[in-house]
Amino acid sequence: MNWNQFIKDLFKLVEPYLETRGDLLHTQVAHKYSLLLLEEEGGDKRIVEPAVILHDVGWSRLKPEKIKVAYGVRAAGETAKRLNRVHELEGAKIARALLNEKKYDPALTDRIALIIERHDSGKETDSLEEKVVKDSDRLWRFSKVGYYQEMERQSTDSEERFRFLSKHLGTWFFTETARKVADEELKKRFQESGNAKHKT
Ligand SMILES: [Fe+2]
Ligand SMILES: [Fe+2]
């Protein structure tokens, strides 16, 4: 199998599923982070890369107005939790179907589907691969493009966003590399907001 071609094909395949919530950019950035984490922390790319690319396809099963309830800084309560579970479970189903369609190794497909099934709600991780996927997903929020996109999406200001991320920095990540990257990125976001204030 030509791996690079497979990854390209997979991105094409998920694109329509990521339109609902506008998650293509999120997925591309998370995928880039996963390559860095694979390099620094190890893990099986045959599990990590497809899992990252496919992890949010489940949002395509929810209506846009429900997505707003399910997701975000202010998301709380049973409804939000339930809808978030829907995106995980439906995502795992779609991922299985797409990987089967590509005749992907069934044992690897199982591992990938399990990671997707609890990528947000799962408090524990079974494997290095799962850690790397979850960390890549969350690093997006600290990246320049992710930080500002999430701010807009959730109608928060920079201060609120910064506080939210600082609060979770110490507990969200499973790998040392991800924690370090998040810390560095957050420092940059802080400087940017300081500069912005001086300009106005
Ligand atoms: Fe997700
Ligand atoms: Fe995600």
Side-chain angles (χ1 to χ4, degrees):
M1 175 195 273
N2 178 333
W3 187 252
N4 288 341
Q5 191 56 50
F6 172 70
I7 293 300
K8 259 191 204 157
D9 292 348
L10 207 53
F11 262 112
K12 279 225 176 76
L13 219 53
V14 297
E15 221 172 290
Y17 295 91
L18 298 176
E19 265 167 21
T20 322
R21 205 181 64 140
D23 271 326
L24 183 62
L25 193 59
H26 161 55
T27 305
Q28 286 165 337
V29 170
H31 178 245
K32 280 221 175 80
Y33 279 128
S34 79
L35 297 179
L36 174 78
L37 295 182
L38 278 167
E39 182 130 349
E40 298 291 323
E41 301 280 342
D44 189 339
K45 71 173 181 184
R46 298 170 308 159
I47 296 169
V48 169
E49 289 190 58
V52 170
I53 295 169
L54 289 155
H55 81 279
D56 270 338
V57 293
W59 288 118
S60 63
R61 293 283 188 262
L62 288 168
K63 295 213 166 69
E65 59 270 23
K66 296 222 159 162
I67 291 173
K68 276 207 159 135
V69 180
Y71 177 85
V73 127
R74 298 186 185 86
E78 284 313 304
T79 316
K81 247 192 215 164
R82 190 178 54 78
L83 292 171
N84 198 57
R85 277 303 281 153
V86 173
H87 108 279
E88 292 181 318
L89 295 169
E90 291 299 317
K93 272 193 224 161
I94 298 167
R96 268 186 199 283
L98 293 178
L99 290 170
N100 288 342
E101 200 180 294
K102 300 282 297 167
K103 307 224 179 323
Y104 204 61
D105 182 298
L108 295 173
T109 300
D110 279 346
R111 297 274 310 273
I112 292 164
L114 279 175
I115 292 176
I116 295 175
E117 214 173 282
R118 59 178 204 182
H119 72 266
D120 235 356
S121 65
K123 299 274 176 274
E124 275 144 45
T125 52
D126 279 343
S127 62
L128 177 57
E129 285 76 20
E130 189 168 16
K131 290 184 170 82
V132 168
V133 172
K134 287 169 81 112
D135 280 3
S136 306
D137 186 19
R138 286 180 172 165
L139 273 176
W140 147 259
R141 301 169 184 175
F142 295 79
S143 71
K144 186 162 189 171
V145 56
Y147 185 87
Y148 295 103
Q149 186 170 309
E150 295 296 327
M151 235 169 79
E152 216 177 283
R153 197 187 253 174
Q154 300 176 37
S155 321
T156 57
D157 58 23
S158 189
E159 222 177 293
E160 187 179 1
R161 194 71 198 150
F162 186 81
R163 243 185 290 128
F164 174 69
L165 295 179
S166 308
K167 193 174 113 193
H168 292 288
L169 183 66
T171 54
W172 264 351
F173 296 103
F174 295 94
T175 69
E176 212 31 63
T177 307
R179 204 169 301 133
K180 228 177 72 193
V181 172
D183 190 45
E184 284 161 9
E185 286 298 317
L186 199 56
K187 279 186 187 130
K188 285 186 205 159
R189 300 298 83 81
F190 183 72
Q191 281 165 358
E192 285 158 13
S193 71
N195 289 342
K197 266 180 206 158
H198 287 304
K199 265 182 221 156
T200 51

